[in-house]
Amino acid sequence: MMVETMRKVYPRFAEQSDHGGFMQHDANEAWIELMTNLKKQLLPLSPAADSGVMPSTAANFVEQYLEGEFEITMKCKESETEPEKHQTDKFQQLNCYLDREIKYLQAGLSSRFKEVVSANAVTLGRNADFDKVMKISRLPAYLTVQMVRFYYKERQAVGAKVLKVCVDICLSLCTTVCLLI
């Protein structure tokens, strides 16, 4: 019944292949579609009956319980005079990038919290390398983690799937560790 409803509400999931069967979609596609639409459609939460406290800025359920926030800092590696860039960004899931070296969930999550990216450097008048650091400033009550098992092979210019990777998940992954990533 749920699959049938998804196909009616989201026609993309009802597409059929040349052989007459339904086309394959991954769970993350469905999850993102569902969360995006729930966020748009749900009304703001009313004050909690027992506490009388209103959730922050009249958020709906998705915003209040399933959405977190990053603080992002970017510092130019090529120019000391380039001002640091600061921004905040909301997220509804964290991605755990898997490869042969990643053995633990924390390592997979933190692998993308510090990286080098190319961005426009105003003082240089061109793109330059920046150190990008992301920190979780608001952890959601319910955290969704996508295990990303695909990567791009530049030499062959194809997508590839990481096979036979087993990631240990610590059952007591505490918020303090996540906030420090």
Side-chain angles (χ1 to χ4, degrees):
M1 188 158 128
M2 181 178 164
V3 173
E4 195 174 301
T5 303
M6 285 286 288
R7 289 181 178 147
K8 286 180 185 175
V9 176
Y10 308 109
R12 161 173 97 146
F13 296 109
E15 294 173 346
Q16 294 189 338
S17 69
D18 297 337
H19 304 293
F22 289 106
M23 295 184 73
Q24 183 177 353
H25 295 277
D26 69 11
N28 194 53
E29 283 181 88
W31 179 253
I32 289 172
E33 195 75 41
L34 187 62
M35 289 299 103
T36 301
N37 284 298
L38 283 175
K39 185 175 177 179
K40 288 179 192 174
Q41 299 296 324
L42 291 176
L43 298 173
L45 296 172
S46 58
D50 57 345
S51 68
V53 177
M54 185 67 159
S56 60
T57 64
N60 66 31
F61 182 85
V62 173
E63 294 165 333
Q64 184 68 23
Y65 296 107
L66 300 169
E67 195 169 81
E69 191 172 271
F70 286 123
E71 287 180 3
I72 303 169
T73 304
M74 292 181 37
K75 182 170 174 52
C76 185
K77 294 177 75 164
E78 301 176 30
S79 172
E80 291 294 324
T81 60
E82 181 74 22
E84 279 189 1
K85 298 177 183 185
H86 298 275
Q87 70 183 59
T88 59
D89 199 7
K90 294 181 186 282
F91 67 88
Q92 292 176 355
Q93 72 179 22
L94 293 179
N95 296 323
C96 177
Y97 292 91
L98 303 177
D99 60 32
R100 298 195 190 288
E101 287 78 44
I102 300 296
K103 300 290 184 230
Y104 299 97
L105 180 65
Q106 181 183 355
L109 291 172
S110 64
S111 67
R112 297 296 170 113
F113 280 60
K114 292 180 183 176
E115 60 185 344
V116 176
V117 297
S118 180
N120 183 41
V122 178
T123 58
L124 297 175
R126 61 176 173 81
N127 279 357
D129 287 343
F130 282 77
D131 284 324
K132 178 181 176 182
V133 177
M134 298 184 343
K135 293 182 179 177
I136 297 174
S137 57
R138 180 183 182 276
L139 193 62
Y142 302 98
L143 179 63
T144 303
V145 176
Q146 178 196 14
M147 305 302 236
V148 181
R149 300 185 311 148
F150 294 92
Y151 67 97
Y152 186 73
K153 286 185 172 182
E154 292 182 28
R155 288 185 181 163
Q156 292 90 5
V158 295
K161 185 176 186 177
V162 176
L163 299 175
K164 297 183 181 178
V165 173
C166 182
V167 175
D168 287 336
I169 300 173
C170 176
L171 295 178
S172 62
L173 181 65
C174 72
T175 57
T176 309
V177 173
C178 287
L179 291 171
L180 294 176
I181 292 177

